[in-house]
Amino acid sequence: MIRRTVDLSPAARDGFDAIIDVRSPGEFALDHIPGAINLPVLDDAQRAAVGTEYVQGSKFLARRTGAVMVARNIAAHLEEALADRDGSFKPLVHCWRGGQRSGAMVTVMDQIGWPVTVLDGGYQTWRRQVSAGLYDMPLPHRLTLLDGPTGSGKTALLTALAARGVQTVDLEALAAHRGSLFGAMPGGQPSQKAFESRLHDALSRLDPARPVVLEAESSRIGARVVPPALWAAMAAAPVIGIDSPVGVRAARTVRDYAGFAADPAALDLALSRLPRHHSKETIAGWRAMGAAGEFAALAEALIVAHYDPAYRRAGRAGEAAAAVRLDALDDAALSAAADEIAARLSAG
């Protein structure tokens, strides 16, 4: 018997052995339910060809051709991706709206004997849930922000807090960008919808009754925009300020962005994209430092002349809850700071 559901809570999703998205690879790449796997019943080219025939030619031929392609693709998935699944395999299957594509897959799975469930409304059901959570309703979470200038070790502190059982959300990891001139990560950023799916999934797995720590970001992380419900909660959240001497922050920046030291061309390209309010002579000097391998001096110059002024201009509207001064940013110092912050959060 084919089961049906609209429940996409974390507990419900985790109860399935697999979430199977049968949309085309292009649709899946744009956005999908976190953790889903893509087993398309029509690939991008096939979907386009069938759609064109349906609109411009014969609807009958489009359906027949599409059925042939769908049958072959489902057979291939059964022989390959699903070949090792036994009779207890419990999948959740969906397409765009819960229509013909998912219907074809679940019909075959049901005949095999798998306890298959179809998602009513398909991906659109998931997208409505994400939009409601990030656009339409206030977040219920108790946020606390880690705020500090460039190089102050906020990301490392966030990781250390998570290791201590503190609830955290790493926005830069979800957006695949470190939120700075040098913030691009391999593979590029997800789409806005995919970023929101990741964010909604992360938030939905947290206990709203316990504190949640995240970095104080700007409203944009690279090209991705922080959704309004989260941005409003961040603006009202208490702040733990992190500070450290410029030289110490420069050394930490060199460590955290070591990839640029290994790729002079990427470093020079990033420096060439600095805002125009820096003079050509200044930028040329920084590019010369990079070419000469003077990374510590370059990091300190950028912090003093570019990042710290931008940080001061941005300001923070949140209530100042506490301040942490770090005269070193090695692992031991960050570990001690994480212990201190975790204790403060636990105390209330």
Side-chain angles (χ1 to χ4, degrees):
M1 181 183 70
I2 298 173
R3 300 155 180 82
R4 310 189 75 86
T5 189
V6 293
D7 186 359
L8 289 174
S9 64
R13 285 183 279 136
D14 293 345
F16 293 101
D17 296 322
I19 300 174
I20 299 176
D21 186 332
V22 302
R23 296 177 302 155
S24 70
E27 293 171 292
F28 183 83
L30 182 63
D31 184 31
H32 56 267
I33 299 172
I37 60 174
N38 188 209
L39 299 181
V41 298
L42 290 173
D43 65 26
D44 294 305
Q46 291 169 338
R47 180 169 173 257
V50 171
T52 299
E53 177 65 32
Y54 189 88
V55 172
Q56 299 179 6
S58 164
K59 291 180 173 56
F60 170 76
L61 287 178
R63 291 192 185 99
R64 187 176 69 179
T65 301
V68 170
M69 293 175 176
V70 167
R72 287 174 177 162
N73 289 333
I74 291 175
H77 297 321
L78 293 174
E79 292 174 337
E80 297 167 10
L82 302 175
D84 61 345
R85 301 291 190 167
D86 62 22
S88 66
F89 179 50
K90 184 182 177 183
L92 173 67
V93 177
H94 75 88
C95 58
W96 182 258
R97 294 188 181 87
Q100 292 181 341
R101 288 185 286 176
S102 59
M105 178 71 94
V106 298
T107 297
V108 173
M109 288 181 159
D110 181 58
Q111 290 299 309
I112 290 170
W114 283 328
V116 60
T117 302
V118 65
L119 175 61
D120 274 339
Y123 163 79
Q124 298 275 25
T125 296
W126 168 254
R127 181 60 195 170
R128 284 192 293 271
Q129 178 177 302
V130 172
S131 295
L134 297 179
Y135 285 83
D136 301 337
M137 299 180 292
L139 287 186
H141 303 81
R142 296 169 48 202
L143 304 185
T144 296
L145 305 185
L146 291 182
D147 191 20
T150 293
S152 55
K154 300 185 296 297
T155 300
L157 271 176
L158 201 67
T159 301
L161 287 169
R164 286 157 173 75
V166 176
Q167 294 189 131
T168 64
V169 175
D170 190 339
L171 292 176
E172 293 181 354
L174 296 176
H177 198 283
R178 294 178 183 175
S180 71
L181 179 69
F182 302 95
M185 295 183 183
Q189 291 192 264
S191 71
Q192 180 67 28
K193 287 183 177 180
F195 169 55
E196 291 172 2
S197 282
R198 296 176 183 183
L199 177 58
H200 176 72
D201 179 55
L203 290 169
S204 69
R205 294 179 182 277
L206 301 177
D207 180 359
R210 295 173 52 215
V212 179
V213 180
L214 60 165
E215 288 187 51
E217 302 284 354
S218 67
S219 60
R220 285 184 178 270
I221 306 172
R224 302 287 74 88
V225 178
V226 176
L230 177 58
W231 185 243
M234 291 172 67
V239 174
I240 297 176
I242 312 298
D243 197 15
S244 190
V246 169
V248 174
R249 290 192 282 127
R252 181 76 200 190
T253 300
V254 171
R255 170 179 170 176
D256 289 345
Y257 290 84
F260 279 96
D263 190 348
L267 173 60
D268 189 65
L269 180 61
L271 291 170
S272 72
R273 293 173 174 168
L274 281 161
R276 292 182 178 180
H277 64 259
H278 297 296
S279 70
K280 292 181 180 179
E281 292 77 10
T282 298
I283 294 175
W286 291 339
R287 294 175 73 176
M289 287 182 187
E294 298 170 359
F295 303 121
L298 173 60
E300 185 162 340
L302 287 170
I303 285 173
V304 170
H306 177 67
Y307 286 109
D308 281 4
Y311 175 76
R312 289 191 292 268
R313 287 193 300 271
R316 299 297 175 195
E319 170 194 350
V324 176
R325 172 75 178 184
L326 290 168
D327 292 319
L329 288 171
D330 56 17
D331 292 344
L334 289 168
S335 179
D339 287 337
E340 177 185 346
I341 294 170
R344 289 182 180 181
L345 292 169
S346 179

